[in-house]
Amino acid sequence: MKHQQILDKLAARGLVRAMDEELARWVKHRMSPPGRTHAEVEQDVIPPVLLRWRCLFAAGDVGPAAKDIARVALATLLHKYGFQDPGTTADALRAVDELKRHVVLSDAFEQRSPEIKKLLESPPVPLTRRPRTPRALTFLRTGDVISFQLAGRFHAAFVREMSGTNEFPVIEFYAGAFTRPPVWADLSDRPAAAERGRARFGVVGLSHLPDPAHQVLAVEAQDPHPPHGADPRPGEGLWRLSDLMSLQEDVRRLFGGTA
């Protein structure tokens, strides 16, 4: 059985496509430096992916069947790109059984569930070349305000501009962290998290709202008031280029122990 056959049987095209594009982009990025071993790439790839998608598995407004479908998709796609995480695989094997028991998917999924589990348990084949990635595209707009969840804390960011033809947004984080998703009343007179553009990031892969991983939430649409603070000085960078996975570490550095 092939990976795409499993993914097709999950009947979750949007989720699978978003997860697949994210992984392709992230794996390509981590494989880019020359001379890296597969084990080194694996150590870099897996933790940020699990951290991001943990938001979906912890979400209270997502049903058990949707979470089980996501677990199978994540394990399958990691395997497709040559990686395997024991906990993720174990969760996916249990999810296959639950989806079968509750008759969530098609008869074909139930009939081929032993083959699905066999593939997920098999050793993945490491990639020999970097994967192809789609063109960067975002559906966010200048003036949007979003919430970004990391390790149970929520941080708000303002979309300052678009790079290219809606390729990716440049966001700036507001100061502070929240124990729940913020609302606009929490942010209306809040400063930037750092002065002179140090809280500004161009984030490749920040594409969808609603976010299938439930890490990024909409707060306000096309608001005219960014976080206040000093702009970069002449000769200083206007913003830092990042991506959806690397942004997690950027947020940790920006907010220190609060992230």
Side-chain angles (χ1 to χ4, degrees), residues 126-242:
L127 298 182
T128 57
R129 63 181 65 184
R130 293 180 296 169
R132 297 177 60 183
T133 57
R135 183 178 72 88
L137 178 67
T138 183
F139 295 100
L140 297 178
R141 293 294 180 265
T142 300
D144 287 349
V145 179
I146 60 172
S147 168
F148 185 83
Q149 182 184 169
L150 184 66
R153 307 285 284 181
F154 298 86
H155 304 273
F158 178 87
V159 179
R160 298 193 66 94
E161 60 181 282
M162 293 293 123
S163 178
T165 306
N166 294 329
E167 291 180 2
F168 59 86
V170 177
I171 64 174
E172 182 169 28
F173 281 96
Y174 293 85
F178 302 86
T179 57
R180 51 161 177 77
V183 297
W184 178 238
D186 300 320
L187 308 171
S188 59
D189 194 35
R190 189 173 286 264
E195 292 283 350
R196 304 204 311 277
R198 293 194 301 274
R200 299 178 188 177
F201 302 90
V203 188
V204 177
L206 184 51
S207 302
H208 302 289
L209 281 180
D211 174 20
H214 286 237
Q215 185 176 38
V216 181
L217 303 173
V219 174
E220 189 79 5
Q222 297 184 323
D223 181 84
H225 304 297
H228 55 83
D231 289 329
R233 296 168 180 163
E236 294 181 334
L238 298 178
W239 43 268
R240 177 177 177 176
L241 183 63
S242 188

Side-chain angles (χ1 to χ4, degrees), residues 11-203:
R13 182 178 298 178
L15 169 74
V16 167
R17 180 178 177 180
M19 193 181 284
D20 195 4
E21 289 180 356
E22 284 183 14
L23 272 168
R25 188 176 288 113
W26 183 231
V27 171
K28 180 178 181 179
H29 176 62
R30 300 318 302 163
M31 288 180 69
S32 293
R36 307 199 73 211
T37 67
H38 177 73
E40 290 171 335
V41 174
E42 185 173 55
Q43 289 174 359
D44 284 351
V45 165
I46 291 178
V49 172
L50 300 187
L51 181 60
R52 169 162 160 73
W53 287 91
R54 186 184 305 162
C55 299
L56 170 64
F57 301 133
D61 59 345
V62 179
K67 291 180 181 180
D68 283 339
I69 288 171
R71 290 186 178 102
V72 178
L74 182 58
T76 302
L77 285 166
L78 282 173
H79 196 280
K80 169 187 170 181
Y81 288 106
F83 306 108
Q84 198 170 51
D85 172 68
T88 302
T89 300
D91 288 344
L93 297 175
R94 286 192 292 268
V96 170
D97 290 337
E98 286 298 299
L99 291 168
K100 178 180 175 182
R101 184 165 71 90
H102 293 287
V103 198
V104 173
L105 298 171
S106 66
D107 290 343
F109 179 88
E110 179 178 354
Q111 292 165 2
R112 304 199 68 177
S113 59
E115 296 173 70
I116 293 171
K117 295 171 72 172
K118 182 178 180 180
L119 183 144
L120 294 179
E121 291 178 303
S122 68
V125 178
L127 298 182
T128 57
R129 63 181 65 184
R130 293 180 296 169
R132 297 177 60 183
T133 57
R135 183 178 72 88
L137 178 67
T138 183
F139 295 100
L140 297 178
R141 293 294 180 265
T142 300
D144 287 349
V145 179
I146 60 172
S147 168
F148 185 83
Q149 182 184 169
L150 184 66
R153 307 285 284 181
F154 298 86
H155 304 273
F158 178 87
V159 179
R160 298 193 66 94
E161 60 181 282
M162 293 293 123
S163 178
T165 306
N166 294 329
E167 291 180 2
F168 59 86
V170 177
I171 64 174
E172 182 169 28
F173 281 96
Y174 293 85
F178 302 86
T179 57
R180 51 161 177 77
V183 297
W184 178 238
D186 300 320
L187 308 171
S188 59
D189 194 35
R190 189 173 286 264
E195 292 283 350
R196 304 204 311 277
R198 293 194 301 274
R200 299 178 188 177
F201 302 90
V203 188

